[in-house]
Amino acid sequence: MWVLPGEVLLISNPLWTTDRSNSFFIYQRRRNQGEKAGLADKLWGTISNFIDPNVPGYRILLQAPDADIAYSIATASTEVDLDKHWLWLENNLLPTLEEFDNTPEAIEFAQAKIKSLIANEQDTVDSLDYTEVAKFRDYEGRFQKTFEMPPEEKLVQYYSCSYWDGKLPCQGWMYLSTNHLAHHSYIMGRECRLVIRWTDITKLEREMGYSSENILVGVGNEVFYFGLFMKISETFELMQQLTYLAMKDFIMGTSSEGSSAINKMIENGAGSKNPLNKILEAYRELEAFRILFRLPMEEVLDGYTDCTVWVPSTKSEIGGRLYISPNYICFSSKVPELMWLVIPIRLVNTVHKLDASQRSGQRAGLCISANKQNLFYIHSLPEPIEMMKTITKFMAQCRKQQSDSKSKDSSFKPVRALQHMGPLSFSKKDQAKERGTESLWDTYFSENGRGACMFRMKEAAVLAQTGLPEKYRAEIWLLFSGAMNEMDARPAQYASLVEKCKKRKNIAFEDIERDLHRSLPEHKAFQSDIGIGALRRVLQACALHNPRIGYCQAMNIVTSVLLLYCNEEEAFWLLNAICTRMLPEYYNTKVVGAQIDAIVFEELVKELIPDLFEHIQKLNLLPVISLSWFLTIFINCMSLDAALQIMDCFFVDGIRIMFQVALTILDNNKGRILSSDDEGEAMVYLSQYLTNIASLEASNEQGSPLIRKGKIMAVEPHSDIPTVSTRVSELISQSYKRYGHLTVDYIEKLRNKGRLQVVMKLKESTRRGALRLLMEEVQLSRKELDILYAHFLEAHRKASFWGNTLQFSRIYGSQKTEPTIDKERFIETFCRLTPWKHMGKVAEKAAFAFELADVENSGRMTFYTFTHLLLCSSRGRLQDRLKFLFTLHLDKKRVLDAFWKAKEALKANPRTLEEVDYEKVTTAGLANISSGIESVNESQMSQKGTAAEEEEFDDEEHQRFWPFHAKFIPPEMKQSEYIQLCKTFYTLLDKEGTDRTIFTAMNAVLNLLLEEGERVKCSPFTKSIPTPQDLKTEPQEYSVFSSLPLTFPDDGNRVSRLPDKGGKVFNGVLRSSNESTPTPTPIVDLEPTSQGSKLEKATPVGPIETTSSTTDVKMERKISKGPVSLLLQSVETCEESVDLCDEWRISFEQFARQLQGEPELCQFFAEMDRLTLEPVKVVQKTNKSTNPSVARSAFKSRSQRKSFKE
């Protein structure tokens, strides 16, 4: 890249060496760069890396003749990049400079020219610093070249640091890209490269090292340490974010649609001129903004600024930060959780400026009127005019959206709250307590406002600890969860989803139907069609609205409680808020979020109750209790009225209340748990304790009935369970006193740590499931399957990293997903692993195999299909391998047409298609089977069994029916396709050590098939083909495929060349004339004309005679003109010069019968079953010494060279 001219002193600079120069320019390289670097250069290069590792390896200087000072005008990290600049200078600038008589003027002109070049490039980066952008591009190119990364792998940031290789610090550069962590160092000629995928990281922490703080990166059982950072906090934070995005793609992005989160950011920022690290920083701020104010996931942050807000209840101003987005104006105090404010822009009426003089001592600000009754005074704004313009613009957009949504209003009337259909509990209400709670909230509303624009003060969380009044419960749940804003912004969406559910089918709907009657079954509301119908509609709408989440069993329990206090539309938006924001990743097929929080809970127990942790670990109790408690928000493990108070705190104060209550329960039962000997005993103690947790009115009356796990129970005075209940309000109060210091930020930090462990477990579970499915179906050992899955997963990662979409697809009949690969990665992996890698045009054949296997045209392939397709070329039965090879040379359309007909016939009658014994089935019968229309004849059916004993395909097996299935017969092959098949056969034979009998057997088979294909009187070859004279060989009789003059290495009794006259060929085996011969099998004899250029009609002939002296001929095989190369030349020439017959056909039955009749060919294909299965390295680590010969030459004595080599 061009750089602004800067002075450089040329005298005594040992770190640079000059490679070339002219009258004005000098081309220099760093002493440790290039192939010419010797031992001294490596020593100086190591020193320069420690002194200043930020300097590029090559540069161009502008220098006046005989001057000691030069000017740096171009730099690059590679010699190739700088050569372009050097050529441009020599061709365009140097001739002009040589015409100057005044050298200083020439130097000044050259500097001006370089600055103009930089100015032209700066037009593309506008306000960004050109030097930094150009430098970043240079390092991105260096990263991609050093680690052989494709252009799609974008560099995020790079840092100077050391990688601790044992106790040796390898000073170099750490590169953080979209999918990889890479490190490159160079010390004393020793180069070290390290590449780690973010998805493989299982541990990421900061810890103190020998002299400084290090970053620890764990991958499985390996641990890597990086230290000596200049900005370790920034580096670690960026590494955490990139790891989080990779894990998020695996957990939430495992769907058949959409691209990864990082790729979406790149696409969204394509028009932006900000570097990727700035985009990631903005994304991190956006996520924090959404979490803080519980806003929808699609909300975008426009900007933020510091300011103060006047709070009426305290009659004072609170400092904090103001955030603006297209739909909301939000404010959060600097003191955490003191006050926060959310103003929907759709409710804003007017915005006007406040002058500094209107309030003494205050800078200019804004006054916002919202909801026709709320006034918000915002002061100390740096640019109030610009802020007012932005809010006004967003107001116009919101009004337009509101007018569009009103036109879509539906006549659908949601069912109102179901509480009226039956009492929530059967104990008497404490009316005084209820009135007192209502009075407190009335006072709060009068001081801080009510509705969406309410000031949300810390006092609200304190009031929620004693329980919400039933009169305001639904309103407060909707307000603090953010569901109210979503519902008001999309008034007709729920009704639209309900209508779509009536017309569509979803996998999750079946699971929902099974669980409808398990939700609070003792409550009258869910014993009627009204309650069950509302529950069904809410759950189905949520599954349709969030296809990545679908349905999880615990969702029905939570939704049933929501429906008791909210109408079904409100319940839907509350459930959506819980699933997407408040408990993210909880309610999916693998309950990943609950597993993560179980690990977080374990860490908190270890930290806060250490004396209990060791014992509870031995009992393996934590995973069980945390999942059952957190998934249902304690609804399923204590009385419902008590769980409601915890839900009140959950909606107001967030996730931390669940951890606080769980820790308090364990702390209160510490003695009992420590005295228990097994998990069952400890669970009994906890169950008794949770049974006795009740609200105030229930705990005051012994023997009063309670609702536990959806059933009405009575606590009898003489039962084994203690009759003295624990008040839930006391439990919540204790949790805030003991563990109120827990913050959401700290919980998120622990979640990031636990997410790595959960993803590792999910990967292992996915791997075991994939292997378990194939263990009984394929002829591979467990070790081979493990390696094969590793290769597939490597291709899957590349497809996900650099493909268009995330490579996941849904498992048939399930909501679960599995990894897949795309066409490009399949071709690459297939060509690397298959034993047919030497086959001609193997990449084209692999692409065709992928297209045939992808009958749904999804562009993806699962591991199940990948394994079976790969084994079609290796470990399958000979019959299946031949069918695979046969099918790959057919026309795609004809194969798919036959496949779909066969599949329809199979669905109608599962015995329409059967595995065929090609030695017994006639050609007519085979035609009937391959068409998929007519059934197999009765004699074949009787061999398989009677109709009563038939085993029909189940739906899953029908889905697995594919063009390479044993029950599918491919269509017949045309003559042009047959010629391509012949080429493929000969390329498979073209390798050293192939026995000559294999060639002769193959030639005989191909000629016999050529004859069988002539069903009508039609000559397959009418034009000239190459004669033996054209191939510069001695004249002899030959057929187009078999009788070419081929030479073989001498091998004892084997013949060294193909037969002259007098030889005999029987079933492809060459025999001498004095050997006894069986009854010959005719082959095709294409006799040349007198000119040797034309062939007559092919006719069957008997054995060909040859002299016995043929066996004594010995010739060396020439690699350049070997047998296969001549055969291929003949076939290629024939294909270009013949008229093909349209009626020529051969079936697969004919093809398989002829090849299976040759023992040599059967043995040859049976031996081609070795997959190239080499273990895949999870972490790519390379240590090598560059130019060892140059380094060794620096030592003069032999002993020195020997010790250096050692």
Side-chain angles (χ1 to χ4, degrees), residues 296 327-328 342-347 371 398-399 401-407 409 450-454 456 474-475 478-494 567 569-570 572-574 576 581:
N327 297 297
Y328 300 96
V342 178
I343 307 173
I345 291 182
R346 70 179 182 276
L347 299 180
N371 212 16
C398 288
R399 290 195 177 106
Q401 293 174 1
Q402 281 182 307
S403 61
D404 294 340
S405 63
K406 285 180 181 179
S407 62
D409 282 347
R450 185 174 176 180
C453 300
M454 179 180 69
R456 306 177 195 196
E475 178 184 349
L478 289 164
L479 179 63
F480 280 88
S481 66
M484 179 181 290
N485 291 322
E486 283 190 286
M487 185 175 64
D488 293 343
R490 305 167 185 174
Q493 184 163 354
Y494 176 70
N567 67 43
E569 183 177 8
E570 294 171 342
F572 165 77
W573 288 112
L574 274 173
N576 179 69
R581 296 191 298 274

Side-chain angles (χ1 to χ4, degrees), residues 1015-1035:
R1015 297 182 178 179
V1016 296
K1017 187 175 181 180
C1018 164
S1019 176
F1021 301 99
T1022 58
K1023 295 186 178 180
S1024 61
I1025 63 172
T1027 64
Q1029 289 79 5
D1030 297 331
L1031 297 174
K1032 297 181 181 180
T1033 57
E1034 54 184 275

Side-chain angles (χ1 to χ4, degrees), residues 352-592:
H352 65 270
K353 181 186 175 188
L354 292 175
D355 295 329
S357 59
Q358 286 183 278
R359 293 188 63 85
S360 59
Q362 295 291 342
R363 294 170 57 186
L366 294 176
C367 178
I368 300 176
S369 172
N371 212 16
K372 299 181 180 180
Q373 58 183 1
N374 300 93
L375 290 177
F376 302 94
Y377 296 96
I378 305 172
H379 298 281
S380 302
L381 290 172
E383 297 179 353
I385 301 296
E386 293 298 324
M387 185 75 68
M388 185 170 64
K389 290 180 180 178
T390 302
I391 295 175
T392 304
K393 179 184 70 173
F394 290 151
M395 286 171 62
Q397 294 176 2
C398 288
R399 290 195 177 106
K400 183 179 179 182
Q401 293 174 1
Q402 281 182 307
S403 61
D404 294 340
S405 63
K406 285 180 181 179
S407 62
K408 300 178 183 179
D409 282 347
S410 173
S411 59
F412 175 78
K413 299 299 181 183
V415 174
R416 66 190 183 96
L418 302 176
Q419 185 185 7
H420 68 283
M421 298 184 67
L424 197 59
S425 67
F426 297 93
S427 59
K428 295 180 180 180
K429 293 290 183 180
D430 190 343
Q431 298 297 333
K433 174 183 176 293
E434 187 72 9
R435 286 194 298 269
T437 307
E438 288 181 9
S439 176
L440 291 174
W441 277 99
D442 288 336
T443 304
Y444 180 88
F445 290 148
S446 64
E447 293 178 351
N448 299 286
R450 185 174 176 180
C453 300
M454 179 180 69
F455 284 93
R456 306 177 195 196
M457 309 297 293
K458 191 174 183 179
E459 288 75 10
V462 178
L463 290 176
Q465 294 177 24
T466 59
L468 298 177
E470 294 185 3
K471 179 181 177 181
Y472 299 135
R473 178 165 277 155
E475 178 184 349
I476 294 173
W477 283 0
L478 289 164
L479 179 63
F480 280 88
S481 66
M484 179 181 290
N485 291 322
E486 283 190 286
M487 185 175 64
D488 293 343
R490 305 167 185 174
Q493 184 163 354
Y494 176 70
S496 174
L497 289 171
V498 171
E499 290 298 320
K500 289 179 181 178
C501 290
K502 296 177 182 178
K503 303 174 183 178
R504 295 186 185 180
K505 290 185 178 180
N506 193 294
I507 299 175
F509 290 0
E510 298 177 5
D511 297 333
I512 291 172
E513 289 297 326
R514 284 194 295 266
D515 291 342
L516 286 177
H517 297 279
R518 303 175 186 173
S519 311
L520 295 183
E522 299 300 328
H523 198 284
K524 290 183 178 180
F526 299 103
Q527 296 173 0
S528 65
D529 293 339
I530 297 176
I532 293 296
L535 181 60
R536 176 187 294 110
R537 288 190 293 273
V538 171
L539 292 175
Q540 289 183 350
C542 190
L544 197 62
H545 183 61
N546 300 301
R548 289 185 177 180
I549 296 174
Y551 171 74
C552 178
Q553 280 189 335
M555 291 171 66
N556 65 315
I557 299 172
V558 175
T559 307
S560 61
V561 176
L562 298 178
L563 285 169
L564 294 176
Y565 286 95
C566 312
N567 67 43
E568 60 177 287
E569 183 177 8
E570 294 171 342
F572 165 77
W573 288 112
L574 274 173
L575 182 62
N576 179 69
I578 292 173
C579 294
T580 58
R581 296 191 298 274
M582 304 194 71
L583 294 178
E585 305 169 358
Y586 258 63
Y587 300 102
N588 52 32
T589 55
K590 298 176 182 177
V591 291
V592 176

Side-chain angles (χ1 to χ4, degrees), residues 241 278-291 301 304 321 323:
Q241 185 181 11
K278 298 294 183 183
I279 296 175
L280 281 171
E281 184 179 350
Y283 179 80
R284 185 166 59 248
E285 293 174 349
L286 174 60
E287 281 219 324
F289 165 68
R290 292 169 179 166
I291 293 173
L301 180 62
Y304 57 85
R321 178 164 290 181
Y323 301 82

Side-chain angles (χ1 to χ4, degrees), residues 1044-1104:
L1044 289 174
L1046 310 180
T1047 59
F1048 297 88
D1050 181 39
D1051 184 16
N1053 297 326
R1054 288 197 170 93
V1055 180
S1056 300
R1057 54 183 304 184
L1058 285 180
D1060 295 324
K1061 286 187 177 181
K1064 299 178 181 180
V1065 179
F1066 296 103
N1067 292 330
V1069 180
L1070 183 65
R1071 302 178 186 273
S1072 59
S1073 58
N1074 57 359
E1075 291 181 304
S1076 61
T1077 58
T1079 303
T1081 301
I1083 63 171
V1084 177
D1085 183 28
L1086 302 179
E1087 299 209 10
T1089 62
S1090 57
Q1091 290 82 10
S1093 59
K1094 298 290 183 181
L1095 291 177
E1096 300 296 334
K1097 180 177 66 175
T1099 57
V1101 296
I1104 303 174

